[in-house]
Amino acid sequence: MQHVCGRTPPVFFLCEGSPALTAAEGTAPPRNFAETLPTEMTVRIFGELDAASLCSAARTCRLWHQIIEQSEQLWRKQCLMVRAICQREVDSDRRHGLSWKVILVRNYIRSRVKKDWLIGRFSHVRSADELSGRKLTPLDAETWGEILEAELDR
């Protein structure tokens, strides 16, 4: 990813007696770090966020949205965490040429639900009524097979 050259970097001066940086006269101080840092650094900072925080950050301002939207690197990192649980689904989506972001959107809830089932969070559920209010998603036969094996091993 290359540094966006369309932004004019602000000029700063270190004022005598003041430990803070101030903008040069006639220039507006930057509103956020993404306006002053190279795009690569901004992407590295965003890379520390989880999927939910990354989506929230994308709604913060147009610049953040643009950087996050265009960075396959950010979405790939999130997908690799989802892939730890939904490897078959993520690999299938990659073979079909879907972008990392689309793969994450398609598989995020599925990975959360599958993980909850696999760790036994729903082992003692006696009826569907006990699951009301929880996010659920359709799971395929192979996934249900994995869940059944995990339940039998408990």
Side-chain angles (χ1 to χ4, degrees):
M1 185 172 286
Q2 299 222 347
H3 179 66
V4 178
C5 297
R7 297 182 277 177
T8 306
V11 179
F12 292 97
F13 294 111
L14 189 55
C15 296
E16 205 171 303
S18 171
L21 291 174
T22 59
E25 205 171 305
T27 63
R31 294 182 311 192
N32 64 60
F33 69 91
E35 292 178 346
T36 56
L37 292 176
T39 304
E40 294 84 6
M41 289 300 297
T42 302
V43 168
R44 289 194 69 176
I45 292 169
F46 286 139
E48 297 300 315
L49 300 176
D50 61 17
S53 299
L54 193 59
C55 291
S56 292
R59 292 188 304 264
T60 301
C61 70
R62 286 186 181 120
L63 178 59
W64 287 20
H65 176 80
Q66 177 185 12
I67 292 168
I68 292 168
E69 240 351 86
Q70 294 175 354
S71 176
E72 282 288 299
Q73 175 185 347
L74 291 172
W75 300 111
R76 181 180 184 273
K77 180 180 176 185
Q78 298 298 325
C79 274
L80 293 179
M81 289 187 274
V82 166
R83 186 179 181 270
I85 299 165
C86 293
Q87 180 177 355
R88 190 172 15 85
E89 295 90 339
V90 170
D91 290 350
S92 173
D93 287 348
R94 282 305 290 169
R95 280 192 300 275
H96 287 95
L98 299 177
S99 73
W100 288 111
K101 182 180 179 190
V102 170
I103 293 170
L104 182 65
V105 168
R106 286 174 54 116
N107 293 291
Y108 182 77
I109 297 295
R110 179 179 292 123
S111 73
R112 302 290 297 235
V113 170
K114 184 176 176 180
K115 179 182 172 192
D116 285 346
W117 278 102
L118 290 173
I119 64 173
R121 180 160 289 148
F122 304 121
S123 291
H124 304 290
V125 171
R126 289 180 299 270
S127 75
D129 294 336
E130 293 179 39
L131 296 174
S132 68
R134 294 191 183 267
K135 283 189 176 182
L136 296 177
T137 187
L139 300 174
D140 61 16
E142 285 185 52
T143 300
W144 283 115
E146 291 174 46
I147 293 167
L148 180 58
E149 282 182 36
E151 286 295 320
L152 293 173
D153 290 343
R154 279 192 248 293

